[in-house]
Amino acid sequence: MITAPSTSRFSGDSRCYSWIRRKLKDSSVAQGGFCRRPSSSLRPCFPRSQGAPSRCAVLGAGFAGLSVVWHLLNHSLKESNLHIDVFDEVGIGGGASGVSGGLIHPYSPKVKLLWMGAECWTECLNLLSVAEEAATSLESNNMGPSCGQNTDGHIIRRRGILRLAVSEKNLEVMQENARNCLQSCRIVTIDKTAAQNLVPNLCAPLNSAFFMPEAVSINPQRYLQALFSACQDLAGEMSTLGYQCKSLCLHKKFITSLGELAGEYDAVIICLGARVDMLPELSGKLPLRTCRGIVAHLQLPDDASEYYPEHSPSILSDAWLAVQGPQSLHLGSTWEWRSRNYSPHVSFEEASRSIQELMPKAISVYPGITKWTFAGARAGLRGMPPLTAQGSLPLLGCIDEFVSVRCDSKYWLVGGLGSRGLLYHGWLGKVTAQAVLSCNEDVIPYELSSWRKVSRS
């Protein structure tokens, strides 16, 4: 059985959640006794203006949207009311987030630490811990199978990730980058023999591979369901503990225009990914490119003589293999630039082309995949950000100047997470919540908001 990490690995958000759950179970609370607010070391507070919002609309229920919801609730003042409406026509994890491969680490393809990689890694682990605790709580309360279970029984598969070197041109650079890794997500350079000890019969074309033992893979849809459950719990429990009213509602509704929300909310936070271009107020105004990716689900037959080893990591190469269990993995991903196809459904012809493209790449590093059978495919349309000196960075900021709706609402954007949405979402949600609750855009790093100057020119 996979062992859940000690909460000492995480700080801030996950500790706050545990603190609230413990206090709620305390008999004095049940009898209406006084309960103090969590200390600042457990529950960070941000400076706020007098105009902190009490009604927020979050558009999108993927990685970015649910992270924003969690942090808005977690960092709202005890003395303030807060009502959050989440709008997503397909529900939790129904868009590109739910189709993600679920591989999480803070490095580029050349194993270089990404911009703000340490902060993003920490905040991502925090939210994973929050979701796991919520899923465990559902199980312990006999509310049916945990929404966090995947094929091996957990939201998270902690077996590490193995990145194979396939280009001799980049090998020396990768080896140098690996020496400057995070201690919390190490990169161990290993040879072919060591790699095959991790994954039997693996091919290492250049006799070199990079193993990240602390990296994880998740089931994205089940993680998002568990995170939403955690947000619901947090809203209810904060009210029970004597906080002012905190509430959260999910609406399976498509918002065709920001004008629909005018005057109803103090803050509207747009976390729609590639679908942001469907809003007439923002269509064609954001420096985003669209890319449709298809991910195939493969399974080993029940009568297979060998299963994917329990201890073996997921694999990154020209294609990636996100292992979900001994008989289940996801293979991805294709890249169709400038696509406008938002549908997650994949036709037979599309699936066939995708398998023809992905399988040779997978076979070149893991020949055993030929024994696996195709079990389906799903697609996601990602909003890809422009390339900057720091890499491809998400787009954040107040976008009132782009929205010609006359009202007192403030409009915020969290977009362009691209293919690294899982890594970025925890930290971006925290930064955005800080900006929204304080009504102060200056808390957003300049690198994430400078895109607006380019858009104006």
Side-chain angles (χ1 to χ4, degrees), residues 359-379:
M359 283 299 284
K361 298 176 182 179
I363 291 171
S364 68
V365 294
Y366 182 56
I369 202 169
T370 55
K371 300 176 183 177
W372 295 63
T373 60
F374 175 74
R378 286 179 63 82

Side-chain angles (χ1 to χ4, degrees), residues 105-114 163 174 177 212 316 420:
H105 61 86
Y107 302 104
S108 75
K110 295 181 182 179
V111 296
K112 181 180 179 181
L113 183 65
L114 295 168
R163 178 174 284 284
M174 295 173 73
N177 289 339
M212 298 173 276
L316 282 171
R420 294 182 179 132

Side-chain angles (χ1 to χ4, degrees), residues 303-428:
D303 59 356
S305 58
E306 296 180 359
Y307 296 148
Y308 198 85
E310 178 64 23
H311 70 276
S312 295
S314 294
I315 302 172
L316 282 171
S317 182
D318 285 342
W320 47 257
L321 285 71
V323 179
Q324 298 294 307
Q327 293 177 262
S328 176
L329 64 78
H330 293 153
L331 172 64
S333 164
T334 61
W335 294 74
E336 182 186 351
W337 290 97
R338 299 186 180 90
S339 172
R340 305 296 293 176
N341 186 349
Y342 294 90
S343 174
H345 302 295
V346 178
S347 68
F348 176 80
E349 292 76 13
E350 273 189 304
S352 298
R353 290 196 302 269
S354 299
I355 287 295
Q356 290 175 8
E357 176 183 340
L358 294 171
M359 283 299 284
K361 298 176 182 179
I363 291 171
S364 68
V365 294
Y366 182 56
I369 202 169
T370 55
K371 300 176 183 177
W372 295 63
T373 60
F374 175 74
R378 286 179 63 82
L381 189 68
R382 298 186 293 263
M384 306 296 290
L387 183 64
T388 73
Q390 288 79 29
S392 296
L393 302 184
L395 313 181
L396 262 65
C398 181
I399 54 171
D400 289 350
E401 62 193 277
F402 292 89
V403 182
S404 58
V405 178
R406 294 185 178 181
C407 65
D408 294 330
S409 302
K410 289 191 72 66
Y411 295 86
W412 302 84
L413 174 70
V414 183
L417 276 66
S419 59
R420 294 182 179 132
L422 255 177
L423 173 68
Y424 283 131
H425 81 296
W427 181 67
L428 294 183

